[in-house]
Amino acid sequence: MLELDRITKRFGRVTVADSLSLAVRPGEAVGVVGPNGAGKTSLFGIISGDLAPDAGEVRFDGRPVTRLDASARCRLGIGRTYQVPRPFEGMTVLENLLVAAEQGAGARGRAGLSLAIRVLAETGLTELADRPAERLGLLHRKRLELARALSTRPKLLLLDEVAGGLTDPEVTELVEIIATARARDGLAVIWIEHVVRALTGTVDRLLCLAAGRIIGDGRPEEVLAAPAVREVFLGTDPR
Amino acid sequence: MTRVIAATVLLLALAAVPYTLGPVAEQPLIGLFSLVALATLWNLLAGFAGLTSFGQQAYLGIGAYALYLLAARGLDPFLGIPLAALVAGAVAVPVSFPVLRLSGGHFAVATWVLAEIFRLAVTLSPALGGNTGVALPGLGGYEPLVRQAVTYWWALGLAACSVLGVWLLARGGFGLRARAVQSDPVAAASSGVRVDRTRRWAYCLAASGTGAVGALLFVYTLYVQPGSIFGVQYSVSMMFMVLIGGIGTIEGPVAGALIFFGLQQALSGYGPWYLVLLGAVAIAVTLFAPRGLWGRLGRPVFPIGYRLE
Ligand SMILES: Nc1ncnc2c1ncn2[C@@H]1O[C@H](COP(=O)(O)OP(=O)(O)OP(=O)(O)O)[C@@H](O)[C@H]1O
Ligand SMILES: [Mg+2]
């Protein structure tokens, strides 16, 4: 469903994607780990259309989308969250989701409202529906990122460190929310997370990214045991 | 429901002014109504779509000169007002492509420069009267009193349509999109919002309405000069009204227009002190009520948000 074909992206002398190729199948759940600055968030930008690669092609559902902007890619079914939350300030939580439901999922009017209300319930934000987004704490801002991405009814969901800073029970709750969405809509997920514990319950495939390259790809325990991966993490055991 | 009745009663009372209070009241009210329309339209741009323009006078001028060209060809000037609005909107479409590539301060300056270019173009066009300006032909058939009354109704109509139109836009899907774009265009795009299209609609609709006001001002003053109609002071007063009234609300620009109008009336005798006082009011309001006076004191009469309740 998603194919990256020899993607290269540089910021000055920093290479965030080095002729990187990757294929993700429909419904697949892929975890991504890697040291700080490896290019994980940049990879999401390239997939979602926020960032134009210097070379290479992005294909989604069999068609090239490299030249489509972020808005068009979202409407095709790519939903993303931001590592540093970017809620629509000056709008309530519900309104944040309505924008995504109406524009991203194309659910206008009543359909949009019921989609937004359903996502509110699923993500445990119903109580905060009428709260202005700028008055949310970090935990709820991250939750809103997830909820807004789900409201676009994605086929591919890109999660960028949505579990960072959560307690164990909160991580469990988050994993359940994502499992529910996957079970119902069969969406594929790519999930960047430093907290590998959050990933292991969800993903069946793990990528390790370092300096813009995939240095590990396979079953999570195999990838984490690989010498190249262990070396990159330099003692800070990813497990 | 009570709101609808109150608004209807107010509108009917205002519409009856030519029969009740007569010409003395018409003149100042025409001025007030154009301010209400201008502030409301500027708010559509800056308050909802996040586009702070300093160049709306371009469309005042285009509206006025479009009306001149139409009237010179024999069209009744009053019927020319909506056509002038269409012309202003049509001019805004190609203009929007370059200016909307910019944002923030660059956008503001670019729109201002653009208005200056239009002013220069008119100044250099003998067919448009050049620097000296032109008088509006085609109103000779109207009794002066009737002419002023019809002008009054047009002014009232434009103000009412602007407020109602912007409210309907703001409370619907367009308002949601525009507010998202204003808040965070990057996140809006990755939520599926067509950012450029949303901004373009706001820009062209505001231009079109402003063009209608330009045509109206021409009908009212019967004379137009590039030096005044393309003056940046129009955009400055639009900004003043919207900021002191309350940006991003429907009531704010109306309140701002009333305050601005009141200050104008009360202080017009004081020459330059009038400007100093306006400046002082603007500073005081931005310091003590950053969301404008309505944002601080008023309750929304025209709500725009969605609530789960
Ligand atoms: N817009 C930009 N301009 C210049 N450099 C950038 C830009 N975005 C990212 N970088 C650089 O590219 C590198 C990769 O950044 P990226 O955010 O993709 O890493 P990451 O793997 O997500 O890291 P983290 O784990 O810290 O989130 C970093 O060195 C970063 O400083
Ligand atoms: Mg990152």
Side-chain angles (χ1 to χ4, degrees), chain B residues 245-263:
Chain B
I247 192 164
T249 64
I250 299 301
E251 305 81 4
V254 179
L258 280 165
I259 294 165
F260 182 67
F261 178 74
L263 288 172

Side-chain angles (χ1 to χ4, degrees), chain B residues 126-240:
Chain B
L128 294 174
N131 210 7
T132 41
V134 283
L136 181 59
L139 280 173
Y142 286 89
E143 285 276 330
L145 278 184
V146 175
R147 193 191 75 220
Q148 185 169 307
V150 178
T151 309
Y152 172 87
W153 284 315
W154 267 102
L156 176 62
L158 284 184
C161 288
S162 305
V163 174
L164 191 70
V166 172
W167 180 48
L168 291 177
L169 279 174
R171 68 196 294 256
F174 181 82
L176 269 180
R177 296 199 280 282
R179 286 160 67 206
V181 166
Q182 172 180 32
S183 174
D184 188 334
V186 173
S190 38
S191 301
V193 179
R194 293 167 170 98
V195 174
D196 289 346
R197 191 187 288 190
T198 305
R199 285 185 171 146
R200 183 156 296 119
W201 270 108
Y203 185 78
C204 295
L205 286 174
S208 173
T210 307
V213 177
L216 174 85
L217 291 177
F218 191 18
V219 169
Y220 180 52
T221 57
L222 299 177
Y223 201 83
V224 67
Q225 259 186 315
S228 57
I229 196 85
F230 286 107
V232 73
Q233 74 275 5
Y234 279 113
S235 280
V236 174
S237 32
M238 292 176 210
M239 183 168 85
F240 177 86

Side-chain angles (χ1 to χ4, degrees), chain B:
Chain B
M1 198 57 215
T2 43
R3 274 203 304 260
V4 176
I5 293 169
T8 315
V9 169
L10 178 68
L11 266 182
L12 287 176
L14 286 173
V17 160
Y19 301 105
T20 54
L21 300 174
V24 219
E26 283 168 23
Q27 287 207 10
L29 284 176
I30 291 172
L32 174 64
F33 295 154
S34 12
L35 291 178
V36 168
L38 289 178
T40 299
L41 293 162
W42 196 82
N43 184 46
L44 171 65
L45 263 190
F48 290 109
L51 297 167
T52 310
S53 167
F54 272 132
Q56 291 309 93
Q57 63 273 16
Y59 298 105
L60 280 176
I62 289 168
Y65 280 97
L67 183 66
Y68 170 72
L69 292 175
L70 290 165
R73 274 159 190 72
L75 186 76
D76 181 291
F78 287 114
L79 298 180
I81 293 176
L83 290 178
L86 284 181
V87 172
V91 171
V93 176
V95 164
S96 72
F97 283 88
V99 294
L100 288 179
R101 298 184 73 94
L102 306 167
S103 59
H106 294 115
F107 172 79
V109 172
T111 52
W112 186 357
V113 169
L114 217 109
E116 287 299 300
I117 292 173
F118 279 121
R119 184 181 63 79
L120 266 172
V122 170
T123 308
L124 297 175
S125 306
L128 294 174
N131 210 7
T132 41
V134 283
L136 181 59
L139 280 173
Y142 286 89
E143 285 276 330
L145 278 184
V146 175
R147 193 191 75 220
Q148 185 169 307
V150 178
T151 309
Y152 172 87
W153 284 315
W154 267 102
L156 176 62
L158 284 184
C161 288
S162 305
V163 174
L164 191 70
V166 172
W167 180 48
L168 291 177
L169 279 174
R171 68 196 294 256
F174 181 82
L176 269 180
R177 296 199 280 282
R179 286 160 67 206
V181 166
Q182 172 180 32
S183 174
D184 188 334
V186 173
S190 38
S191 301
V193 179
R194 293 167 170 98
V195 174
D196 289 346
R197 191 187 288 190
T198 305
R199 285 185 171 146
R200 183 156 296 119
W201 270 108
Y203 185 78
C204 295
L205 286 174
S208 173
T210 307
V213 177
L216 174 85
L217 291 177
F218 191 18
V219 169
Y220 180 52
T221 57
L222 299 177
Y223 201 83
V224 67
Q225 259 186 315
S228 57
I229 196 85
F230 286 107
V232 73
Q233 74 275 5
Y234 279 113
S235 280
V236 174
S237 32
M238 292 176 210
M239 183 168 85
F240 177 86
M241 292 185 281
V242 171
L243 291 186
I244 62 166
I247 192 164
T249 64
I250 299 301
E251 305 81 4
V254 179
L258 280 165
I259 294 165
F260 182 67
F261 178 74
L263 288 172
Q264 253 184 349
Q265 300 287 309
L267 304 172
S268 55
Y270 295 87
W273 284 106
Y274 155 69
L275 290 174
V276 174
L277 248 148
L278 280 189
V281 169
I283 291 169
V285 170
T286 37
L287 280 180
F288 298 110
R291 288 172 53 231
L293 291 173
W294 195 275
R296 190 174 175 89
L297 306 172
R299 277 194 312 131
V301 183
F302 297 98
I304 45 179
Y306 291 76
R307 289 282 176 281
L308 192 60
E309 275 142 10

Side-chain angles (χ1 to χ4, degrees), chain A residues 92-177:
Chain A
T92 64
V93 168
L94 173 66
E95 287 172 334
N96 270 262
L97 303 197
L98 274 176
V99 170
E102 293 206 344
Q103 299 299 303
R108 303 295 163 105
R110 294 221 148 271
L113 194 61
S114 52
L115 173 57
I117 288 172
R118 197 192 73 199
V119 174
L120 278 174
E122 280 176 5
T123 51
L125 285 172
T126 306
E127 236 101 276
L128 298 170
D130 294 336
R131 168 125 15 134
E134 65 273 20
R135 301 219 329 260
L136 297 178
L138 182 63
L139 171 71
H140 288 124
R141 279 173 183 247
K142 291 213 162 192
R143 195 55 71 80
L144 175 57
E145 281 293 317
L146 171 64
R148 192 176 61 193
L150 284 174
S151 300
T152 67
R153 220 154 38 197
K155 293 183 206 160
L156 170 66
L157 176 63
L158 307 173
L159 301 171
D160 198 347
E161 303 203 17
V162 283
L166 298 192
T167 62
D168 276 356
E170 285 164 353
V171 169
T172 312
E173 199 186 313
L174 184 73
V175 167
E176 270 164 22
I177 293 171

